[in-house]
Amino acid sequence: MFDGKDWFAWHSPYADDDSPLARWLRLVQQHIAAWFDERPGKPVSVVSMCAGQGHDVLDVLASRPDATRADVTLIESDPRNVAAARAKAVTENLETVTVMQADAGDLASYRQAVPADLVIMAGVLGNISAADAHATINALPQLCAADATVIWTRTRRAPDRTPRIRTWLTDAGFAERVFHAPDGVLFSVGVHRFAGTPQPLATNGEIFTFIA
């Protein structure tokens, strides 16, 4: 999973509110918060692939009085990011959050975390091959509970693969709720609802490898 890129330092632009990365983060957080609001009082499960320091979901949970109804698993391989996410969870008293140091490209890493009501794929699809992106999307029914939501992101830098990703999601049983492609930046954010039938999790198998 390690590719030589400093994934801890990657988070630094979050400190600049006007940076594309900070704008990307706010948009993802808005959709996570809206997802919680649409399910008031209901116990929910969340899993985040390649979660980094968990700013997207942890910041949302820290602002909510109902955070304890969410069983959250963050899967991240970089030990520094894992430590930062765990420290954030402790500081914010997010007792229902588990931060796993594991390879999110290995289905075995999800054994205790799925089926999930919300699957977050932020910063994943733009850092893996097209073939692996297709394989990951095809594996989502193994990670999703019935009527689950997937929030995903992808750069639109050439070659823009977001049209193919949206088609692959449809083919895998997902209905698009929204797709954001803001002017002046290259990032995009999609939200899809799982309309298919959940599938049992394979005991093992690699679905993607980070290539950055």
Side-chain angles (χ1 to χ4, degrees):
M1 192 90 172
F2 295 103
D3 52 19
K5 188 169 184 175
D6 190 336
W7 291 105
F8 185 82
W10 179 89
H11 294 75
S12 298
Y14 284 152
D16 178 1
D17 287 342
D18 294 325
S19 70
L21 191 61
R23 292 174 59 189
W24 169 88
L25 175 63
R26 288 195 296 271
L27 186 54
V28 172
Q29 289 174 334
Q30 288 169 15
H31 282 295
I32 294 172
W35 181 85
F36 275 103
D37 289 342
E38 291 169 2
R39 294 156 181 80
K42 180 181 178 181
V44 292
S45 59
V46 180
V47 64
S48 179
M49 299 180 177
C50 302
Q53 297 175 15
H55 290 284
D56 45 14
V57 66
L58 294 183
D59 287 354
V60 171
L61 289 174
S63 70
R64 301 185 66 90
D66 61 348
T68 56
R69 68 186 175 93
D71 183 5
V72 179
T73 301
L74 309 184
I75 302 175
E76 168 62 29
S77 61
D78 188 299
R80 297 167 300 166
N81 287 334
V82 169
R86 287 175 176 167
K88 172 77 170 180
V90 170
T91 299
E92 300 294 348
N93 296 314
L94 300 175
E95 298 177 355
T96 61
V97 171
T98 299
V99 183
M100 292 178 55
Q101 184 175 343
D103 182 358
D106 185 350
L107 285 175
S109 299
Y110 299 87
R111 197 168 296 141
Q112 305 301 320
V114 297
D117 300 303
L118 174 63
V119 176
I120 302 170
M121 294 197 301
V124 177
L125 297 176
N127 291 294
I128 61 179
S129 70
D132 280 1
H134 198 183
T136 300
I137 289 168
N138 284 338
L140 284 174
Q142 298 182 50
L143 309 183
C144 289
D147 200 36
T149 295
V150 172
I151 299 175
W152 60 276
T153 68
R154 176 61 161 89
T155 180
R156 287 174 285 126
R157 185 178 297 109
D160 181 4
R161 292 201 173 98
T162 58
R164 294 172 67 186
I165 287 169
R166 296 163 75 184
T167 297
W168 291 338
L169 282 160
T170 299
D171 293 344
F174 292 82
E176 185 170 277
R177 295 193 61 186
V178 66
F179 177 72
H180 295 283
D183 293 336
V185 291
L186 291 175
F187 70 76
S188 59
V189 178
V191 181
H192 278 68
R193 183 183 66 82
F194 184 43
T197 302
Q199 299 176 8
L201 181 67
T203 54
N204 52 52
E206 186 176 89
I207 51 175
F208 66 79
T209 300
F210 246 46
I211 57 175

